Each structure stands twice: as structure tokens, then as C-alpha cells.
Amino acid sequence: YTPLLLLISVFIISFLPVLAALSSLPITREFPRTLPDISRLGHELQAYADSGFAGKAHVLLVLSITAVWKHSWSVPGSVLVNVLCGTLLPPVPAILLLTVLTTIGSIFSTLLSTPLAPFVTAFFPRALDLTRNALEGSSPSSLTSSSLSSSINEKSEKEGDKKDTPVWVRLTIMRLIGIVPWSGINVACGVCGVSLWDCAMGAFIGTMPWTAVTCQVGDILQTLAASKATGAASTETLSSVLSSPGVIMKLIFLSALSLGPVLGREKLKGLIGTGSGSVSS
């Protein structure tokens, strides 16, 4: 249990600068629980960011630190950070920034999980086998206790496996279709010895659609908040804002990103499993 106790200590120590960074923002300290609360918080951050370059840099820096920390330790609430960034930045920069931050946090999570290999193997063998099975593309009966990296190296020496799906592609698909929670994938990658390059590629591509969805939600909330703020001097109503071409395109984009992995779930699962029982949700 020594590695586990060490990680708990590191978690507490790393939380202190994050808490200090969040406390430095001139915002309401109450945690947002509803969409109006999130909209209000986004409006406060936007007002502070509009005060000058220093204000905007301050907000983005704090949100970036918070996002990386949350993904590193699998702390819930990263969706809120994505939505808030979506209210502060245009869609494309927001999506790219949050995807990079999610990737960095995932890599840190993988590194932090590496010392926990004996603990995870002993207490969560079934979840670990499921993830290893999806990464190796083998049947459950062929799983061994060896690390994933050595298993892949052995497979690569065989000519018949030259066409196997690369590990980073498997990681991407696993994140897209939700076979294993993202936090579980990060931990399993650290325990199984997956290369950081594969982890980074899988995290960047696999998390981009969901990051885009949450950032677009923030952008739509900002559009509605701006319309409400000018409502007294404008004839625009909520329905007219929602029916505008720009918002309609954003909603279509959201729907496509959300439904795409779901509708193609079975086909994607076929890419990471060689047997009928190799992957199960």
C-alpha cells in the first residue's frame, strides 16, 4: 500500500495550488448546479476576461490548470471546465485547447497509475482484463499476466499480425464508444505499460468529439446569455435565437458528434476485437 499512500499525499499537495488558483478568480464562490448557474458563472468570467489581456490570460490559465488536474486524478467536473471555456473562446480554439489539456491530463494519469500495478491487478482483475483484451484484440482465454507492451512486441514478430489495428487506434475507439470509462483507460494504460505516444494519440483523437460537444454547449449558452442581456433593446426572443442559422448549425453539429459513435458502435467494436466475445460493455 506504500505507492497508494504516496499518491494520496501527492493528490493533496497538488490540490493546494489548484485551490489557490480558483480562489484568485473574482467570481461567485458558490458551485454551479444548474444551467442558469453555469451561464451566470460564464458571464462573470467573460466580464473579467473582457477587462483586458491580463484578465483573459488569468482566466484561461486557471481553467487550464484545473482541467489538467481533474483529468490527471479523474476528478469529476471537467465537463464544467469545457463548457466555461466554450463561453470564453471561439469554438475551434476552445476545442483544440481543451483537447490538448485533456490529453496532457490523461498522460499524467497514466504515469501516476504506473506504481499501482500490483494494487490494480490484485483488486480489479476483471476490469483490467477487459481493457487489456480490448487493447490486444485477443479472446479472454488468451489473456496472460504479462504486460501489454511485451505482448504487443511478441505479436509484432509474427507476420500474420502485421495488419492488426495499432494500439493508439484501439485506444481511440475505446474512448469513442465508452467500452471503459476514460479514467479506467488511463489507469489500465499505466498498469499495462502502454507507450505514452499511443496514450497521447488515443486520448487526443478519442476525446475530441466529446470535448467539441461540451465546448459547443458553452458557446450556445453564451449566445443565449448575450441575447438575454440585450433583450430589452432588441426584438429577438429565445425562440428566434434558437432558430437562427448559426445556432441550428451548432445543434446539428452537436447531434452528429453525439450520435456518431453510438450509431457506429458495433462497427467500431469490430475493429478492436478479433472474437465475438473479445469486447463487452
Side-chain angles (χ1 to χ4, degrees), residues 55-239:
K56 191 161 192 173
H58 182 198
V59 173
L60 292 177
L61 178 61
V62 172
L63 291 180
S64 298
I65 293 173
T66 304
V68 171
W69 182 82
K70 283 181 174 292
H71 286 291
S72 298
W73 296 101
S74 302
V75 176
S78 58
V79 173
L80 176 60
V81 177
N82 291 4
V83 172
L84 291 176
C85 280
T87 65
L88 295 171
L89 294 174
V92 174
I95 293 170
L96 290 177
L97 173 63
L98 268 302
T99 303
V100 170
L101 295 177
T102 302
T103 301
I104 294 173
S106 297
I107 292 175
F108 281 147
S109 179
T110 296
L111 293 174
L112 290 169
S113 303
T114 302
L116 295 179
F119 179 85
V120 175
T121 303
F123 289 93
F124 305 100
R126 190 166 180 271
L128 183 60
D129 283 347
L130 172 64
T131 307
R132 183 186 286 119
N133 176 36
L135 289 173
E136 292 179 347
S138 55
S139 61
S141 60
S142 67
L143 295 176
T144 64
S145 58
S146 61
S147 68
L148 177 63
S149 57
S150 61
S151 174
I152 293 176
N153 288 335
E154 291 175 1
K155 285 186 174 184
S156 63
E157 295 176 357
K158 301 178 181 179
E159 292 184 0
D161 290 325
K162 288 182 179 179
K163 295 183 180 180
D164 279 355
T165 307
V167 176
W168 68 267
V169 175
R170 295 178 181 275
L171 287 171
T172 299
I173 296 173
M174 288 169 64
R175 291 182 185 274
L176 286 174
I177 63 180
I179 292 178
V180 182
W182 288 0
S183 57
I185 294 175
N186 296 336
V187 172
C189 285
V191 173
C192 295
V194 178
S195 71
L196 292 182
W197 170 255
D198 288 324
C199 293
M201 289 294 294
F204 184 84
I205 301 174
T207 62
M208 183 175 286
W210 176 242
T211 301
V213 169
T214 51
C215 288
Q216 283 291 299
V217 170
D219 188 46
I220 292 175
L221 286 177
Q222 180 62 21
T223 301
L224 296 177
S227 174
K228 184 178 179 180
T230 59
S234 174
T235 58
E236 277 192 319
T237 63
L238 179 61
S239 59

